[in-house]
Amino acid sequence: MNVPAWVWAVTLAAMAVVLIIDLVVIGRRPHEPSPRESGIWVSIYIGLALLFGVGVWLFAGPSYAGQFYTGWLTEYSLSADNLFVFVVIMGRFAVPRQYQQTVLLVGIILALVMRGAFIAAGAALITQFSWVFYIFGAFLIYTAINFAREGLDEEAEDFKENVLIRWSRRALPISPNFDGARLTTVLAGRRMFTPMLIVMIAIGTTDLIFALDSIPAIFGITQEPYLVFTANVFALMGLVQLYFLLGNLIERLVYLSKGLAIILAFIGVKLVLEALHENNLPFINGGEHIEWAPTIPIWLSLVVILGTLVIATVASLVKTAADERKEARRKAAESTDEPVLKA
């Protein structure tokens, strides 16, 4: 896929415009968006991603369009991992709801910058060393096992302040309270950082960790840097609104971690099979290609990923609804068994 420099320039410019609009709107009126407002914006971002895929189809063909849609869907589903931990970070640092938009938007900007660097590095590695697929595949399978064992909610609950956060608390003058969305404030005539800075550091370092999972995953779908980058952009751009739209619903997705484990394991196996098919390592099959290793088509990847997400979501909602009915019956039974106090 040959992407001219002017297409890259237009894409980056459009992304910058959207981010600037978000910054201006949120900066002028920081607030907690309503479900309706969040739903509208999430729908707009999803619609833009779908339209972009149509554009890829028209100008580059259905194969590349399928790669974009599959990569975008993979990145979007992995965003749920981000949301679990973001919820914990916001609660841990007691960030006021009306300023959480600002925190998330800055986090997205940091994520885009870091993922851009990872994408450039990953593309360079793949171009020079095809055996890197073995490493990416093994890492994704390892991550899938951890997801299956621990789950996203346990991972979020186990969130601990990293070295950079702890150092910032010790070395920097931090005020005890927030001052709106500002990073600094004046307290008793002294300029100090607000807890918002610590929150930004927590979000930024968390984004860095998430990139280690998501970038190998999408390179398992497509090796086109332009598609990898744009799929990440569209997955991240609606993350702020998705955070507020889901709200407490995210806690109801109890099987999402299992679904993500299946997706990551599938992509990991796909990468290993592709590495075997294109093998040139001298200590594997004498450096020759392994012809029996199948190449999984993109349409099958899309079906597996989409089907897994639908099944995991439906199963989660069915289970949580059943658990709520069971809990309601238990409470009703306990209330009827309470002794009646005589006057």
Side-chain angles (χ1 to χ4, degrees):
M1 184 178 181
N2 185 22
V3 181
W6 69 266
V7 174
W8 274 101
V10 170
T11 303
L12 294 173
M15 180 193 73
V17 168
V18 173
L19 288 175
I20 290 172
I21 291 174
D22 272 349
L23 283 171
V24 170
V25 171
I26 294 174
R28 286 184 175 180
R29 191 173 66 91
H31 67 291
E32 178 184 353
S34 65
R36 180 178 179 275
E37 178 185 348
S38 298
I40 290 173
W41 280 107
V42 168
S43 299
I44 290 174
Y45 283 122
I46 291 177
L48 289 175
L50 295 175
L51 285 175
F52 182 84
V54 172
V56 174
W57 186 309
L58 294 175
F59 290 99
S63 176
Y64 288 120
Q67 291 177 30
F68 169 76
Y69 282 131
T70 308
W72 167 66
L73 189 61
T74 300
E75 294 298 300
Y76 208 67
S77 62
L78 288 173
S79 296
D81 190 8
N82 301 44
L83 296 181
F84 269 94
V85 181
F86 287 169
V87 168
V88 173
I89 291 175
M90 297 298 185
R92 182 74 58 85
F93 295 101
V95 181
R97 293 284 291 182
Q98 66 268 29
Y99 303 124
Q100 291 183 10
Q101 265 189 318
T102 304
V103 174
L104 292 171
L105 184 58
V106 172
I108 286 174
I109 294 173
L110 293 174
L112 286 172
V113 172
M114 288 185 288
R115 293 189 186 201
F118 276 121
I119 290 168
L125 282 173
I126 290 171
T127 301
Q128 297 296 322
F129 311 105
S130 60
W131 50 261
V132 78
F133 280 161
Y134 286 112
I135 299 175
F136 281 2
F139 179 75
L140 290 177
I141 293 171
Y142 169 78
T143 304
I145 293 172
N146 286 339
F147 270 15
R149 284 179 176 176
E150 301 176 3
L152 297 178
D153 49 350
E154 286 86 355
E155 179 186 341
E157 290 173 1
D158 291 340
F159 169 79
K160 295 180 177 62
E161 295 186 3
N162 56 48
V163 174
L164 184 57
I165 297 175
R166 294 196 298 272
W167 176 85
S168 300
R169 285 188 181 277
R170 292 194 306 268
L172 301 176
I174 305 295
S175 66
N177 301 313
F178 288 90
D179 184 8
R182 299 181 182 87
L183 296 179
T184 63
T185 187
V186 176
L187 189 63
R190 182 188 180 194
R191 175 69 63 177
M192 303 180 72
F193 293 102
T194 69
M196 187 65 75
L197 176 65
I198 305 299
V199 177
M200 296 294 187
I201 294 173
I203 293 290
T205 51
T206 301
D207 281 332
L208 178 62
I209 295 171
F210 288 143
L212 297 177
D213 294 339
S214 64
I215 298 305
I218 194 169
F219 270 116
I221 302 298
T222 177
Q223 286 82 58
E224 295 294 336
Y226 183 76
L227 298 181
V228 172
F229 180 73
T230 51
N232 270 274
V233 168
F234 281 108
L236 287 172
M237 294 299 276
L239 195 58
V240 173
Q241 290 78 14
L242 187 64
Y243 172 88
F244 290 100
L245 177 64
L246 292 180
N248 295 329
L249 177 63
I250 194 170
E251 298 176 359
R252 299 167 64 90
L253 303 179
V254 293
Y255 291 132
L256 184 59
S257 61
K258 309 299 182 186
L260 291 179
I262 293 172
I263 290 172
L264 291 178
F266 171 79
I267 298 175
V269 171
K270 179 178 182 292
L271 275 172
V272 172
L273 289 175
E274 289 182 2
L276 290 171
H277 190 78
E278 302 294 333
N279 176 66
N280 56 15
L281 293 179
F283 53 85
I284 297 179
N285 196 38
E288 299 295 327
H289 302 331
I290 299 177
E291 298 300 332
W292 60 259
T295 300
I296 299 176
I298 195 66
W299 67 264
L300 180 57
S301 299
L302 182 57
V303 169
V304 170
I305 292 170
L306 184 58
T308 301
L309 287 175
V310 170
I311 293 172
T313 301
V314 172
S316 296
L317 296 178
V318 169
K319 184 182 187 303
T320 52
D323 289 344
E324 288 173 357
R325 288 194 297 268
K326 182 178 179 181
E327 180 66 15
R329 288 195 297 268
R330 186 188 65 80
K331 290 182 178 180
E334 288 180 353
S335 63
T336 56
D337 291 340
E338 291 180 356
V340 178
L341 298 178
K342 295 183 179 179

